[in-house]
């Protein structure tokens, strides 16, 4: 056995802490970015917002990167720090990152919050009007607490019975729980507390004023639910000895029911996520105008107090060890503040440049709103256009929204693969899906088109697509197979 020693040269690329910080900031949508900014302001006292500054805009200088030569890995002696690098002639340098092409969007700053009585409390308030024993009331409260946001109780009665014993110290039987569940089924909205869709629809039908159509609808749901969901209409007509018109009237009654009774309650305890668009695109005099949400362009600068501390240190002739330790701390916080401010500035620039490239690439769509005019576009197309990495474009596209004249859209929806039509032209798969959707909307619902028939129609329109591809696109559009689209 022998030992050998040799040299090996290897090229490798490492991301600096600043680059990592920038990538993380770029990925954040507006609301998450605001939270990140708030966190940084709380953690770094050297970072300040323009709101707390008493100076006018003219009292500041532009951002200065003169301290970039320092990093956390350097060993620095307090006596080596050039304080002048952190102080400007105007005492307080300006590290603002606001630019004229970013709208202030004052109206966006007031984000609405969900208010009112929660769905659970709404049900409990109704329960309190029933006369129940203490044990039945405890069971009823527990059942109501088990109702999900759609209005269903998804757990089995045996599991609920066990949980009542272990967590509430209520010892009961499944039969007793089921009896109390019938009380819950009397609450509004109708259908709440159901264990499945069939029971939910059945509860709602039983609560309606009875007539022949309602009675038939109830019989279909209770006795032939599977045939109904699979739209085996001939079997239903034969089973209940009815004609097509009677079946149609009963189905219309069923279609009026609410399959998600919990979703209809305005005060649902689910937290509503309000989408705050990161960009806005407007059409002005026939031209597209892009703005970045003003909440992405905060006014930031270094704290005046920290600048005054440095001035005091500079003016002191004899510097104690405590003062040197303090100025090292100040220097570290100032560097962190400058790095963060620069990262925020680069984030704004990256977001604006990327979205601008996407807007111009899809100009025809943004001017018309017609999805058939969306060009095939992949991440690399935009990355090459703006000379950035594909991963950077991906970070912008995957988590950002843009407010357009046609609604608020997720940016990644504008990206799609391409295929060649019969003219040899590259077309977007989004365009094909839109045409497929239109064809299905216009079909005869009594005789819906099969995937094979849809494939033939698309070929006639100039899009040679196989049946399997049609099936894939149909599933992506969340459109059921032909048999389930059939109507009477």
């Amino acid at each position: 056995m022998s030992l050998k020693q040799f040299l090996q040269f290897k090229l490798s690329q490492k991301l600096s802490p600043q680059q990592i910080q920038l990538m993380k900031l770029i990925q954040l949508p507006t609301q998450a970015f605001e939270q990140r900014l708030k966190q940084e302001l709380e953690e770094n006292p050297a970072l300040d917002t323009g709101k707390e500054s008493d100076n006018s805009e003219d009292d500041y200088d532009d951002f200065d990167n003169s301290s970039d030569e320092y990093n956390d890995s350097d060993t620095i002696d307090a006596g080596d720090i050039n304080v002048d690098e952190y102080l400007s002639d105007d005492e307080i340098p300006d590290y603002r990152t606001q630019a004229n092409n970013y709208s202030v969007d004052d109206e966006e700053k007031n984000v609405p919050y969900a208010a009112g009585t929660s769905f659970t409390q709404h049900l409990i308030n109704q329960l309190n009007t029933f006369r129940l024993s203490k044990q039945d009331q405890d069971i009823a409260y527990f059942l109501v607490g088990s109702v999900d946001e759609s209005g269903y109780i998804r757990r089995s009665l045996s599991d609920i019975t066990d949980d009542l014993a272990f967590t509430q110290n209520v010892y009961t039987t499944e039969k007793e729980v089921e009896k109390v569940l019938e009380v819950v089924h009397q609450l509004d909205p109708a259908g709440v507390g159901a264990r499945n869709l069939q029971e939910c629809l059945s509860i709602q039908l039983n609560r309606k004023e009875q007539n022949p159509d309602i009675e038939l609808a109830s019989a279909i749901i209770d006795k032939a639910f599977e045939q109904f969901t699979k739209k085996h209409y001939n079997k239903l007509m034969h089973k209940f000895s009815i004609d097509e018109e009677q079946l149609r009237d009963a189905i219309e009654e069923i279609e009026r029911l609410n399959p998600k009774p919990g979703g209809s309650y305005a005060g649902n305890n689910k937290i509503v996520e309000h989408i705050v668009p990161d960009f806005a695109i407007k059409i002005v005099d026939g031209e597209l105008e892009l703005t970045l949400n003003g909440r992405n362009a905060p006014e930031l600068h270094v704290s005046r107090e920290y600048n005054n501390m440095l001035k005091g240190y500079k003016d002191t002739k004899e510097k104690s060890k405590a003062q040197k330790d303090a100025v090292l701390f100040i220097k570290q916080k100032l560097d962190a503040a400058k790095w963060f401010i620069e990262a925020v500035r680069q984030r704004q620039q990256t977001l604006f440049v990327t979205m601008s490239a996407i807007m111009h690439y899809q100009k025809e769509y943004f001017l018309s709103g017609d999805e058939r005019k969306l060009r095939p576009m992949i991440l690399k197309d935009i990355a090459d256009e703006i000379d950035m990495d594909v991963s950077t474009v991906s970070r912008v596209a995957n988590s950002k929204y843009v407010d357009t004249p046609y609604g608020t859209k997720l940016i990644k929806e504008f990206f799609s693969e391409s295929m060649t039509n019969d003219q040899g032209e590259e077309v977007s798969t989004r365009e094909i899906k839109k045409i497929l959707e239109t064809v299905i909307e216009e079909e005869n619902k009594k005789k819906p088109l099969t995937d094979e028939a849809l494939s033939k129609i698309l070929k006639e329109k100039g899009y040679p697509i196989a049946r399997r591809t049609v099936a894939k696109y149909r599933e992506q559009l969340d459109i059921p197979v032909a048999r389930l689209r059939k109507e009477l």
Side-chain angles (χ1 to χ4, degrees):
M1 183 176 180
S2 61
L3 293 174
K4 291 184 179 180
Q5 190 176 35
F6 61 93
L7 291 173
Q8 182 180 11
F9 294 94
K10 183 172 71 172
L11 289 175
S12 63
Q13 186 179 23
K14 290 185 179 181
L15 291 176
S16 67
Q18 296 96 314
Q19 288 173 313
I20 294 172
Q21 186 179 55
L22 174 61
M23 292 300 103
K24 287 181 178 179
L25 287 179
I26 288 174
Q27 195 162 351
L28 296 176
T30 298
Q31 286 180 298
F33 170 69
E34 285 186 313
Q35 292 298 319
R36 177 69 183 86
L37 180 63
K38 182 180 177 183
Q39 178 188 349
E40 190 70 21
L41 286 167
E42 290 173 351
E43 293 177 356
N44 190 351
L47 189 64
D48 211 345
T49 60
K51 295 178 183 178
E52 299 177 5
S53 174
D54 296 325
N55 291 273
S56 65
E57 292 186 2
D58 295 331
D59 290 334
Y60 299 113
D61 292 330
D62 292 332
F63 181 82
D64 181 13
N65 252 347
S66 59
S67 63
D68 283 354
E69 60 190 277
Y70 299 111
N71 59 60
D72 291 337
S73 62
D74 294 334
T75 303
I76 302 172
D77 180 73
D80 296 333
I81 295 177
N82 184 356
V83 176
D84 290 331
E85 292 180 351
Y86 292 88
L87 299 173
S88 70
D89 294 334
D90 294 330
E91 294 187 356
I92 305 174
D94 176 20
Y95 298 102
R96 291 173 304 136
T97 55
Q98 209 164 12
N100 292 330
N101 60 344
Y102 301 150
S103 61
V104 176
D105 289 341
D106 290 331
E107 69 278 3
E108 292 286 357
K109 296 186 185 231
N110 299 318
V111 181
Y113 294 93
T117 307
S118 71
F119 185 36
T120 303
Q121 188 60 49
H122 172 67
L123 298 177
I124 289 175
N125 291 343
Q126 296 178 68
L127 272 180
N128 292 335
T129 64
F130 288 81
R131 297 190 65 172
L132 300 171
S133 67
K134 178 66 171 64
Q135 174 147 319
D136 285 353
Q137 189 179 57
D138 290 341
I139 295 171
Y141 284 166
F142 192 84
L143 287 170
V144 163
S146 300
V147 173
D148 67 14
E149 62 191 34
S150 297
Y152 288 84
I153 294 177
R154 308 282 186 181
R155 306 178 62 215
S156 68
L157 293 184
S158 61
D159 287 345
I160 290 174
T161 304
D162 290 340
D163 276 0
L164 279 165
F166 288 117
T167 64
Q168 307 298 314
N169 204 29
V170 175
Y171 298 93
T172 184
T173 62
E174 289 183 34
K175 188 175 181 180
E176 182 66 24
V177 172
E178 189 164 18
K179 182 181 175 183
V180 177
L181 183 60
E182 292 175 4
V183 175
V184 175
H185 288 166
Q186 297 177 46
L187 305 179
D188 289 324
V192 71
R195 288 162 286 180
N196 51 55
L197 178 60
Q198 182 180 10
E199 187 174 53
C200 178
L201 299 178
S202 180
I203 292 168
Q204 293 179 59
L205 288 167
N206 289 333
R207 295 266 291 270
K208 282 179 172 285
E209 186 177 342
Q210 298 299 299
N211 61 43
D213 291 339
I214 298 291
E215 290 171 2
L216 176 58
S218 294
I220 291 172
I221 294 299
D222 293 338
K223 300 175 183 177
F225 186 70
E226 187 176 352
Q227 287 96 322
F228 166 72
T229 56
K230 293 182 177 179
K231 297 195 174 184
H232 291 157
Y233 296 139
N234 291 330
K235 291 182 180 180
L236 290 173
M237 286 187 285
H238 181 266
K239 182 179 180 68
F240 295 101
S241 301
I242 54 176
D243 58 29
E244 187 175 302
E245 186 177 351
Q246 289 174 302
L247 179 60
R248 185 186 299 112
D249 291 341
I251 289 175
E252 285 178 359
E253 291 291 346
I254 296 171
E255 288 176 343
R256 293 191 186 104
L257 305 177
N258 186 358
K260 293 184 178 181
S264 63
Y265 183 71
N268 197 315
N269 54 3
K270 179 184 177 183
I271 296 174
V272 179
E273 182 181 352
H274 296 273
I275 295 174
V276 177
D278 305 86
F279 307 92
I281 292 177
K282 296 178 182 178
I283 302 174
V284 181
D285 298 330
E287 293 295 325
L288 296 173
E289 183 180 280
L290 174 67
T291 53
L292 179 65
N293 189 323
R295 291 161 67 169
N296 288 290
E299 188 175 310
L300 300 172
H301 58 79
V302 168
S303 168
R304 178 190 301 178
E305 291 182 8
Y306 269 56
N307 279 277
N308 289 340
M309 287 180 193
L310 281 183
K311 279 194 70 177
Y313 175 80
K314 180 184 177 184
D315 296 339
T316 303
K317 294 181 179 180
E318 293 186 8
K319 299 174 175 58
S320 66
K321 184 179 186 303
Q323 285 178 311
K324 290 181 180 180
D325 291 341
V327 83
L328 281 172
F329 173 80
I330 292 170
K331 184 265 175 191
Q332 182 186 18
K333 292 299 180 183
L334 285 172
D335 279 345
K338 290 187 176 185
W339 289 341
F340 185 77
I341 291 167
E342 177 63 11
V344 170
R345 185 191 68 77
Q346 289 185 36
R347 175 184 185 272
Q348 293 169 14
Q349 184 179 8
T350 302
L351 293 186
F352 196 84
V353 167
T354 304
M355 189 63 225
S356 181
I358 294 171
M359 180 182 74
H360 287 101
Y361 202 96
Q362 301 290 6
K363 184 176 181 179
E364 288 190 28
Y365 163 74
F366 286 115
L367 285 173
S368 65
D370 188 350
E371 289 190 5
R372 289 173 295 182
K373 292 187 177 180
L374 276 171
R375 295 173 58 191
M377 181 176 72
I378 59 175
L379 296 172
K380 190 175 185 302
D381 293 331
I382 300 301
D384 291 344
E385 185 81 19
I386 61 178
D387 195 25
M388 288 187 182
D389 195 83
V390 171
S391 63
T392 303
V393 178
S394 176
R395 284 181 171 89
V396 175
N398 286 337
S399 57
K400 308 293 185 301
Y401 287 84
V402 57
D403 182 26
T404 74
Y406 325 105
T408 300
K409 310 284 186 182
L410 184 61
I411 295 172
K412 73 175 181 181
E413 292 178 0
F414 302 129
F415 290 84
S416 62
E417 298 290 338
S418 66
M419 70 154 290
T420 307
N421 63 12
D422 59 356
Q423 303 295 319
E425 300 170 334
E426 293 264 309
V427 294
S428 168
T429 53
R430 282 288 299 275
E431 176 183 334
I432 298 167
K433 288 179 184 178
K434 187 65 180 177
I435 293 170
L436 176 62
E437 197 173 21
T438 304
V439 170
I440 292 175
E441 284 176 0
E442 296 174 352
E443 71 183 357
N444 180 358
K445 295 303 179 184
K446 290 189 175 182
K447 293 182 179 179
L449 298 167
T450 62
D451 290 343
E452 188 66 40
L454 290 169
S455 177
K456 289 180 181 178
I457 291 173
L458 288 171
K459 284 178 183 176
E460 291 171 4
K461 291 180 177 289
Y463 304 98
I465 302 176
R467 182 195 61 78
R468 285 182 297 178
T469 307
V470 168
K472 182 179 77 171
Y473 289 169
R474 177 179 52 72
E475 289 170 2
Q476 290 174 351
L477 291 167
D478 200 24
I479 297 173
V481 295
R483 178 170 53 77
L484 297 181
R485 301 200 304 272
K486 186 177 180 181
E487 296 178 3
L488 289 173

